Amino acid sequence: CVLRWWQSKPGGNHPSFVEGLEWLQTLGLQVADQLPRPSKDPKGLADIGKWMCAADLVHTIHGAEQQSQAQMQQQGVTVETSRDMHDAALAAMIFSHLPPVRLSCIRSLVGPAYLRPCLHPDCKEPSCEGNRLSIMSESPLLMRISLPHHKNARKWGKAVIEFDVPSDLAQLLHTYLGAPRKALLEHHLLIGDACPYVFMDMHGRGFVAAAVLTLYWQKWLVSRGGVPMNPSMCRQVFVDERQSDSATAGPSNQGAAMVMGHSVKQWDKWYDMQYHPRLAQNAVDGMQSWRAAMLQSHTLAAPDLTLSTALHCGHVLVSDSEESRYQSCCSDSDSDIDIELD
């Protein structure tokens, strides 16, 4: 942002200035990467009211979905019921139906009615339609999300994150994008499709700033009986459940990580807050079965050291030379020697 602002000024494109700003940006990233980060864990965050487990979060969002649809049927389309449905749809996009998509992608998601050029400030592709929610079919209902602009788009060779929306979420979004969304736009004196984004703040504007969406989500979650947890923390909540020893059946880790815009390797580094203690405990627990196996293996392989007077072996090697020697597996008693010489 600073670089784009500087380049808009007279002389702002001078190579020395541009290179200097790029160097400062790189330095900032390097310093941030080297600074120690405080260790966090779900229990510690829960103690200070900053964490909800995956099951509680899914239950809260599901309740909001059902309530918003019931109120819409009972009371009709009003500003209040429309806002409730908007909030339920937004929450369902952040968590529950999908692997937690990056918030930047949700904030920049445009609706099916927007047919103008891409709104991403750095996009130079003339045919790009931006991060988009599309209606592929009305009957049966099929909606698709395409995310050409995500954090790792360049690293992935401009690969687009694209998937069909689950039926329950598609129905909720389709309902909201009709009369409820229109009611909200008219309430904010935005006649027509003035706001291109699917989701909007209390003033009918898109969540351009990440901080605005964070405060909006926290206030909504508290109103539903939850805690003021940062919406980006939903990614940690999801990974914590998927990597736990009690994880339920669900998406593949690789596929879920791709929708989230990264890789499973990054789960271990950034999102799995119990990665080290869980591996350590699993290793200690596994050592007990390893120890038992070692003891059993030693018992099976141990030689029989009991003494016996019986002849064990009668094989003798004798040479014709005067200095002949013999080898025997028998005991060293005199009687055994005589037998072997005979």
Side-chain angles (χ1 to χ4, degrees):
C1 294
V2 175
L3 181 58
R4 288 197 299 271
W5 172 82
W6 184 266
Q7 289 175 332
S8 67
K9 303 299 179 182
N13 286 314
H14 192 280
S16 61
F17 292 122
V18 175
E19 292 176 1
L21 286 173
E22 290 178 346
W23 177 81
L24 285 174
Q25 288 180 327
T26 304
L27 178 63
L29 294 174
Q30 292 173 342
V31 171
D33 186 61
Q34 295 301 319
L35 289 176
R37 294 177 175 83
S39 178
K40 298 179 180 179
D41 65 274
K43 184 180 182 305
L45 290 172
D47 290 341
I48 61 174
K50 296 293 184 180
W51 179 270
M52 292 178 66
C53 70
D56 290 343
L57 202 51
V58 169
H59 180 78
T60 298
I61 296 172
H62 180 64
E65 294 177 48
Q66 291 185 317
Q67 182 178 351
S68 67
Q69 293 172 342
Q71 288 179 344
M72 187 67 67
Q73 293 177 353
Q74 296 171 2
Q75 304 175 26
V77 179
T78 66
V79 174
E80 290 74 17
T81 59
S82 298
R83 178 56 66 176
D84 286 343
M85 181 161 285
H86 165 279
D87 295 348
L90 174 61
M93 280 288 297
I94 293 176
F95 198 79
S96 182
H97 292 273
L98 307 172
V101 180
R102 289 190 181 278
L103 296 178
S104 59
C105 295
I106 296 177
R107 291 189 292 110
S108 60
L109 194 68
V110 297
Y114 181 78
L115 303 176
R116 283 165 279 178
C118 176
L119 296 175
H120 195 279
D122 296 329
C123 183
K124 299 179 180 178
E125 299 292 336
S127 60
C128 181
E129 296 182 340
N131 293 341
R132 175 175 293 275
L133 172 64
S134 305
I135 299 177
M136 309 304 296
S137 172
E138 291 280 357
S139 182
L141 179 62
L142 176 61
M143 304 185 80
R144 180 170 298 166
I145 290 178
S146 299
L147 305 173
H149 298 294
H150 53 90
K151 185 176 181 180
N152 287 324
R154 291 184 179 180
K155 293 181 180 180
W156 293 5
K158 298 184 178 180
V160 178
I161 299 176
E162 188 174 68
F163 51 87
D164 293 340
V165 180
S167 58
D168 289 347
L169 178 58
Q171 187 61 55
L172 177 64
L173 289 170
H174 189 264
T175 303
Y176 156 68
L177 289 172
R181 187 172 187 275
K182 182 180 178 181
L184 290 178
L185 291 172
E186 292 178 351
H187 173 71
H188 297 295
L189 302 179
L190 299 173
I191 307 302
D193 196 18
C195 179
Y197 301 106
V198 174
F199 302 108
M200 62 187 80
D201 61 17
M202 295 299 293
H203 302 285
R205 301 169 299 194
F207 292 100
V208 179
V212 176
L213 177 57
T214 296
L215 293 175
Y216 189 95
W217 160 269
Q218 289 177 332
K219 183 178 179 180
W220 176 84
L221 196 57
V222 170
S223 70
R224 302 296 307 182
V227 299
M229 183 179 70
N230 193 304
S232 61
M233 190 64 71
C234 291
R235 297 161 73 83
Q236 279 87 344
V237 171
F238 176 75
V239 172
D240 178 73
E241 193 281 332
R242 299 314 304 149
Q243 297 290 72
S244 68
D245 296 332
S246 59
T248 60
S252 68
N253 290 352
Q254 185 176 7
M258 188 195 69
V259 174
M260 294 170 70
H262 52 227
S263 64
V264 177
K265 184 178 181 180
Q266 289 177 288
W267 282 16
D268 300 337
K269 186 176 182 180
W270 300 111
Y271 296 100
D272 187 0
M273 293 187 292
Q274 299 191 80
Y275 175 73
H276 293 95
R278 184 176 61 254
L279 285 185
Q281 188 60 55
N282 287 346
V284 171
D285 294 342
M287 282 297 295
Q288 310 317 305
S289 58
W290 176 86
R291 178 176 177 273
M294 293 298 101
L295 291 173
Q296 184 180 11
S297 175
H298 183 271
T299 302
L300 295 175
D304 186 4
L305 301 180
T306 58
L307 296 178
S308 174
T309 56
L311 182 64
H312 296 292
C313 180
H315 297 286
V316 180
L317 299 178
V318 181
S319 67
D320 294 332
S321 63
E322 294 180 355
E323 298 178 355
S324 64
R325 296 174 179 267
Y326 67 90
Q327 297 179 0
S328 175
C329 296
C330 62
S331 66
D332 293 334
S333 65
D334 292 341
S335 59
D336 286 340
I337 294 176
D338 293 339
I339 294 173
E340 291 291 339
L341 289 178
D342 292 339

